[in-house]
Short mmCIF file of all heavy atoms in Angstrom, two decimals:
data_model
loop_
_atom_site.label_atom_id
_atom_site.label_comp_id
_atom_site.label_asym_id
_atom_site.label_seq_id
_atom_site.Cartn_x
_atom_site.Cartn_y
_atom_site.Cartn_z
N SER A 242 -17.64 -24.50 -19.22
CA SER A 242 -17.18 -23.12 -19.41
C SER A 242 -15.96 -22.83 -18.55
O SER A 242 -15.97 -23.01 -17.32
CB SER A 242 -18.31 -22.14 -19.06
OG SER A 242 -17.81 -20.83 -18.91
N VAL A 254 -11.04 -20.44 -3.09
CA VAL A 254 -9.98 -19.64 -2.47
C VAL A 254 -10.56 -18.75 -1.38
O VAL A 254 -10.01 -18.62 -0.28
CB VAL A 254 -9.24 -18.80 -3.53
CG1 VAL A 254 -8.33 -17.76 -2.87
CG2 VAL A 254 -8.41 -19.71 -4.44
N GLY A 458 15.61 -20.02 -5.52
CA GLY A 458 15.41 -18.76 -4.81
C GLY A 458 14.12 -18.73 -4.03
O GLY A 458 14.06 -18.17 -2.93
N GLU A 523 30.63 -8.73 -5.20
CA GLU A 523 31.25 -8.24 -6.43
C GLU A 523 30.43 -8.62 -7.66
O GLU A 523 30.28 -7.83 -8.60
CB GLU A 523 32.67 -8.80 -6.55
CG GLU A 523 33.63 -8.23 -5.51
CD GLU A 523 34.98 -8.93 -5.53
OE1 GLU A 523 35.06 -10.04 -6.12
OE2 GLU A 523 35.95 -8.38 -4.96
N ALA A 795 6.46 20.39 24.67
CA ALA A 795 6.29 20.54 26.12
C ALA A 795 7.63 20.54 26.84
O ALA A 795 7.82 21.27 27.82
CB ALA A 795 5.41 19.40 26.65
N ARG A 946 17.77 2.76 49.39
CA ARG A 946 18.04 2.74 50.84
C ARG A 946 16.75 2.95 51.66
O ARG A 946 16.68 3.78 52.57
CB ARG A 946 19.06 3.83 51.21
CG ARG A 946 20.39 3.69 50.46
CD ARG A 946 21.37 4.77 50.84
NE ARG A 946 20.87 6.11 50.58
CZ ARG A 946 20.88 6.68 49.39
NH1 ARG A 946 21.33 6.03 48.34
NH2 ARG A 946 20.41 7.92 49.24
#
Side-chain angles (χ1 to χ4, degrees):
S242 165
V254 169
E523 291 173 343
R946 302 180 301 280

